Amino acid sequence: MNISTNSRTITLLILCIILLAMSAGCSSERIMRSCISHSLYRVTINTSEPITDATFYLPLPVKNGIPMTGTIPLDKSQFEKNNFSIDFVQSTPGVNFNGTYPVPNNQPWFLKISADKIDPDPSGSAGYSVEISNTTFLLTPVIFPNTLYPVGNESVLLPKLDFSPPSRERISSRSPEWIEYSPIHVPQKNLIYADYSASPTTRVEIISDILVGNSWSEPGTPGIVYTGIDGGGNYYTDSYYWTHYGESHGWQVVNGELNAPNGVYPNLDNPIWQKMMHQT
């Protein structure tokens, strides 16, 4: 499974839905311009056959030193499922984080998941799955989440190995209201702990990602076809994935990717944005 392609597809669908909904809703409200931020965090464990005596330590998104998705703090209750034991930990067995990419004032947090047995779901759903999302309407783009430089500013998965922050390259913009950058996809490595017994043919897949995005839209005008040129949005994703056959008993280095920046950004020097910010 290509998590990068899948994540980007879902991201674009989410942003399109948000923009269309905002455009339709604003037609009657007649406000100047709507701004919205959205965050989505997901973690899934899939298994093709039963696994037993399972314990996982999976990276949580961290911001300002605590587990968060966007502006929403995470807690254990959001991850509780029948027959699963859940905890948040920073002290993990047999590993130190020397050599990982340093993020000032942020240390890794892990979601600890334990279960006597995890069965495959006959319907094809994940053996364990959690999705947490939040949408916030904003008065000004000045307080948009920083999707241009998310590492150190927004929720990201830690620890990161073999990671180098990308250089942003500004490109020609399609609208005077926008600032645009070349999209960047940065490979990285992450650490997970997977300890369980299974048959040699058992396939276990773990996928986790966080998406944080911004969007804006003009209200609709009667008799005018909405083209989207006065709307826009941007986002970043941070993800990792792991596929393994047979049992596992320890730490694993897994593949991941940071995608940032993506989309278009407000040109706050533009008169339309200036007018909105003065009104708010």
Side-chain angles (χ1 to χ4, degrees):
M1 178 180 183
N2 188 328
I3 189 171
S4 300
T5 301
N6 183 54
S7 179
R8 287 195 290 272
T9 301
I10 293 173
T11 299
L12 292 174
L13 287 173
I14 290 171
L15 291 176
C16 287
I17 291 170
I18 290 172
L19 286 172
L20 288 172
M22 290 168 58
S23 173
C26 291
S27 297
S28 59
E29 296 177 13
R30 304 305 303 153
I31 61 176
M32 169 69 180
R33 171 168 283 183
S34 293
C35 296
I36 191 172
S37 69
H38 180 78
S39 66
L40 171 68
Y41 169 62
R42 302 177 296 181
V43 58
T44 63
I45 302 174
N46 293 293
T47 179
S48 63
E49 301 175 42
I51 63 176
T52 58
D53 301 320
T55 298
F56 298 93
Y57 290 84
L58 306 179
L60 285 162
V62 177
K63 177 183 178 181
N64 299 328
I66 62 173
M68 296 185 71
T69 173
T71 59
I72 303 301
L74 300 175
D75 62 68
K76 293 187 294 183
S77 66
Q78 296 163 303
F79 296 83
E80 291 174 349
K81 302 278 187 180
N82 290 337
N83 304 318
F84 289 89
S85 175
I86 301 298
D87 201 1
F88 282 13
V89 299
Q90 284 190 293
S91 177
T92 52
V95 68
N96 65 64
F97 303 114
N98 293 335
T100 61
Y101 183 77
V103 180
N105 302 315
N106 287 274
Q107 296 297 322
W109 279 88
F110 288 86
L111 170 66
K112 182 182 179 182
I113 304 172
S114 301
D116 293 333
K117 186 179 182 182
I118 302 177
D119 289 309
D121 191 297
S123 68
S125 300
Y128 178 88
S129 180
V130 169
E131 182 174 306
I132 301 167
S133 64
N134 179 66
T135 298
T136 304
F137 288 89
L138 307 173
L139 294 176
T140 171
V142 174
I143 55 175
F144 271 155
N146 188 346
T147 65
L148 187 60
Y149 295 96
V151 179
N153 296 300
E154 303 297 338
S155 302
V156 295
L157 299 165
L158 299 175
K160 296 185 183 299
L161 296 78
D162 299 337
F163 175 80
S164 297
S167 298
R168 276 71 179 174
E169 179 185 355
R170 189 165 170 175
I171 59 177
S172 178
S173 177
R174 291 164 288 172
S175 166
E177 294 187 36
W178 296 348
I179 295 174
E180 296 192 52
Y181 299 86
S182 179
I184 299 175
H185 313 297
V186 184
Q188 63 189 12
K189 302 291 185 180
N190 298 92
L191 279 175
I192 70 167
Y193 180 87
D195 183 18
Y196 58 86
S197 298
S199 74
T201 57
T202 300
R203 181 179 186 268
V204 174
E205 180 183 60
I206 299 175
I207 302 171
S208 184
D209 61 358
I210 182 168
L211 176 154
V212 176
N214 308 304
S215 60
W216 63 89
S217 175
E218 286 286 350
T221 301
I224 302 297
V225 177
Y226 177 72
T227 65
I229 193 65
D230 291 325
N234 52 74
Y235 68 94
Y236 74 89
T237 62
D238 196 8
S239 61
Y240 67 84
Y241 56 96
W242 181 67
T243 301
H244 184 75
Y245 286 88
E247 60 186 32
S248 172
H249 299 289
W251 287 95
Q252 306 285 345
V253 176
V254 302
N255 292 317
E257 187 174 77
L258 175 74
N259 297 318
N262 291 280
V264 298
Y265 290 78
N267 178 5
L268 299 183
D269 292 330
N270 184 274
I272 293 180
W273 283 113
Q274 286 288 312
K275 180 180 179 181
M276 176 188 174
M277 290 188 292
H278 288 154
Q279 287 181 339
T280 57

